[in-house]
Amino acid sequence: MEDKSKVQERESWGSSFGFIMAAAGSAVGLGNLWKFPYLAGKNGGAVFVVTYLLMVILIGFTMMLGEMIIGRKTQLDPYGAYKKLNKNWGFLGSIGIVTAFLILSYYSVVGGWVIKYIIATLMGGIGVDKAAYFNGFIGAPIEPLIYHGIFMILTVAIVFKGISGGIEKASKIMMPALFIMLIIVAIRSVTLKGASQGLAYYLKPDFSKFNGRVLVDALGQVFFSLSLGMGALITYGSYLKGDEDLEKNALIIPGLDTAVALLAGFAVLPAVFAFGFEPSQGPGLMFVTLPAVFEAMPFGAVFGVIFFILVFFAAITSAISLLEVSTAYCIDQLKWSRNKSVTIVSSIMFVIGIFASLSMGVLSDFNIPILNLGIFDALDFITSNVLMPIGGLLMAIFLGYVWGVDEAIKEVKKSPNVKFKLEKLWIVLIKYVAPVAIFIVLLSSLGFLDRWLGN
């Protein structure tokens, strides 16, 4: 009886649309906007895009459905969810919680950079030497910490208000706004003089450029872009009601995430080609190359502000899902109130983020032993290259062989009006294809495949 009343008292999404927007917001993050265009540029343009789309269908759908099944079935945080399904597997939920916790600790620092760039672009530019401006800012001891704090406070303010009143409401505003702004920037980009070269590169596949590196990069980007293996979709799935069509949602959410990535390619690559820049990786593309591109185009300041606001929306919708993972654990397992959970968890994250930020400047000479990386880079490596792939791999094994596909399928078909059309395909994918694919992602992210892939 206690379990039942707990399920009834648990918060839930107010609407299917609200859940989809929140889950898509969790998936859509900075990786869609800076990593996808870069990887497309590095891996032969259109041939990478085609490979990526195939991987979304095979791996993205499979894993996302799996996480939502576990969440809705148990109505618990990731640790409680796995433990409820198999008492020996609570550790797997713990991996997801730790991963989300550590990611937000440094992700919030980058979110702060985005706020700084919205203000800087509004105030009239970023100076002549974009790289020097960026490096000078992130290396400063105080200013980045102020923006890190602002970003964390905004994230906390949303999560304080709960599921339907905070996360859902914010996502229903920010995600449609993100799409509209991204379309505006993409239209501006593809209509620039000289953009046709970038468009051709992006849209015309040259399959002679297909190789193992293209496949592995596409696989990895799908896995990381959809926020798999960190408990976010298990947590969000735990607030779903029993009549929700999980299969449909598991197709729509990766579809929306992919639409953002593809639009980001349209927004970035034609403009970068038009002005003769190289699409650089990570922060270089976002904070150095693109400000120079916007400065070179007519009304560039307007498009620059729009772009950084949409980047902010992408960052904060991911951040609220990351904070909710740890918050749900504290509420479910430690029986804390939401306000107490959010306050304590976010405060610890903020402190870790201070050290991550300072590792770009005053602590730049300090490296984490064994990894030989600074604090920021070490947090990124541990979460992205180790914990997320391990969490995803073990989840596929858990669903395929421990808890079992029969139980998972029963959960999908729980509502009398829902049919599981892709049931047979999903069984093959979760038992055989996903574990192998994610194991390849793990090996690649740890550098074991570099020799074979030509790195």
Side-chain angles (χ1 to χ4, degrees):
M1 285 297 292
E2 189 180 316
D3 246 9
K4 199 172 173 186
S5 68
K6 189 174 175 184
V7 170
Q8 287 169 346
E9 288 168 16
R10 191 174 179 78
E11 292 182 83
S12 62
W13 303 104
S15 66
S16 181
F17 176 74
F19 164 69
I20 288 168
M21 288 297 100
S26 171
V28 171
L30 296 175
N32 296 68
L33 301 169
W34 77 28
K35 200 170 182 186
F36 183 85
Y38 164 75
L39 287 174
K42 172 189 158 193
N43 286 295
V47 71
F48 175 82
V49 174
V50 171
T51 309
Y52 179 84
L53 290 173
L54 183 63
M55 293 301 108
V56 168
I57 294 163
L58 294 178
I59 305 304
F61 158 74
T62 307
M63 298 298 290
M64 188 157 283
L65 179 57
E67 292 209 11
M68 284 193 285
I69 288 169
I70 292 169
R72 191 180 73 176
K73 172 70 179 175
T74 59
Q75 301 279 290
L76 288 167
D77 66 282
Y79 170 80
Y82 280 108
K83 195 172 180 188
K84 184 175 180 179
L85 298 177
N86 185 303
K87 63 178 193 229
N88 297 319
W89 280 71
F91 76 92
L92 180 49
S94 301
I95 291 173
I97 293 164
V98 169
T99 305
F101 178 87
L102 293 177
I103 288 174
L104 186 52
S105 300
Y106 70 89
Y107 195 85
S108 176
V109 174
V110 183
W113 300 350
V114 177
I115 296 172
K116 161 70 176 178
Y117 267 66
I118 292 171
I119 295 167
T121 311
L122 269 170
M123 300 296 285
I126 295 159
V128 177
D129 190 335
K130 306 290 186 276
Y133 182 92
F134 176 63
N135 292 328
F137 164 64
I138 65 170
I142 302 298
E143 193 181 11
L145 300 184
I146 294 169
Y147 288 107
H148 163 48
I150 292 169
F151 185 86
M152 188 62 86
I153 287 166
L154 293 171
T155 305
V156 164
I158 294 168
V159 180
F160 259 150
K161 294 188 175 182
I163 299 306
S164 60
I167 294 173
E168 181 173 354
K169 197 175 278 185
S171 301
K172 280 162 79 172
I173 296 167
M174 287 191 278
M175 286 308 294
L178 183 152
F179 269 100
I180 291 164
M181 289 187 287
L182 193 49
I183 289 166
I184 290 168
V185 176
I187 290 169
R188 170 70 279 205
S189 179
V190 301
T191 53
L192 287 167
K193 188 178 178 184
S196 57
Q197 186 190 350
L199 275 174
Y201 187 76
Y202 191 46
L203 294 176
K204 286 185 183 173
D206 177 359
F207 288 105
S208 66
K209 293 183 177 175
F210 179 81
N211 54 35
R213 171 54 65 191
V214 172
L215 179 64
V216 168
D217 279 357
L219 247 176
Q221 177 62 8
V222 166
F223 189 81
F224 300 122
S225 176
L226 291 172
S227 304
L228 301 170
M230 62 168 106
L233 265 296
I234 292 176
T235 305
Y236 274 12
S238 74
Y239 302 117
L240 280 171
K241 295 167 185 169
D243 59 352
E244 197 69 39
D245 188 336
L246 298 184
E247 181 185 26
K248 183 180 78 175
N249 290 343
L251 290 166
I252 291 172
I253 295 159
L256 290 173
D257 178 78
T258 304
V260 170
L262 293 173
L263 278 170
F266 280 112
V268 172
L269 289 176
V272 169
F273 272 87
F275 294 105
F277 291 98
E278 284 292 318
S280 51
Q281 186 174 16
L285 176 64
M286 185 79 70
F287 298 106
V288 179
T289 306
L290 286 175
V293 168
F294 290 128
E295 198 172 88
M297 69 169 67
F299 304 105
V302 175
F303 291 101
V305 170
I306 292 170
F307 180 78
F308 281 112
I309 290 172
L310 77 86
V311 172
F312 168 75
F313 284 170
I316 202 160
T317 50
S318 292
I320 57 180
S321 73
L322 292 167
L323 181 53
E324 184 60 28
V325 174
S326 298
T327 299
Y329 170 79
C330 294
I331 293 169
D332 289 344
Q333 304 303 321
L334 305 180
K335 310 302 180 193
W336 291 356
S337 69
R338 172 168 286 275
N339 285 3
K340 179 181 177 182
S341 303
V342 174
T343 302
I344 292 174
V345 168
S346 63
S347 298
I348 300 168
M349 288 173 172
F350 176 72
V351 172
I352 296 171
I354 291 173
F355 291 100
S357 181
L358 293 177
S359 71
M360 308 283 184
V362 294
L363 294 179
S364 59
D365 291 334
F366 173 77
N367 281 347
I368 301 288
I370 301 172
L371 294 176
N372 201 29
L373 294 169
I375 297 166
F376 185 102
D377 291 334
L379 287 169
D380 183 33
F381 178 83
I382 291 164
T383 53
S384 298
N385 295 46
V386 182
L387 294 178
M388 279 179 71
I390 287 174
L393 176 61
L394 291 176
M395 189 196 86
I397 292 168
F398 178 81
L399 279 167
Y401 302 97
V402 181
W403 186 46
V405 290
D406 292 343
E407 291 297 321
I409 288 162
K410 270 189 218 168
E411 180 60 29
V412 178
K413 293 176 169 178
K414 186 159 83 174
S415 172
N417 301 321
V418 173
K419 289 181 177 148
F420 194 178
K421 295 170 189 169
L422 299 176
E423 178 182 333
K424 288 180 181 174
L425 174 63
W426 185 77
I427 291 170
V428 172
L429 292 173
I430 198 69
K431 289 186 80 170
Y432 308 110
V433 178
V436 172
I438 298 166
F439 186 62
I440 290 169
V441 170
L442 177 61
L443 291 178
S444 174
S445 64
L446 294 175
F448 291 125
L449 301 183
D450 288 353
R451 185 177 160 194
W452 289 275
L453 298 172
N455 265 20

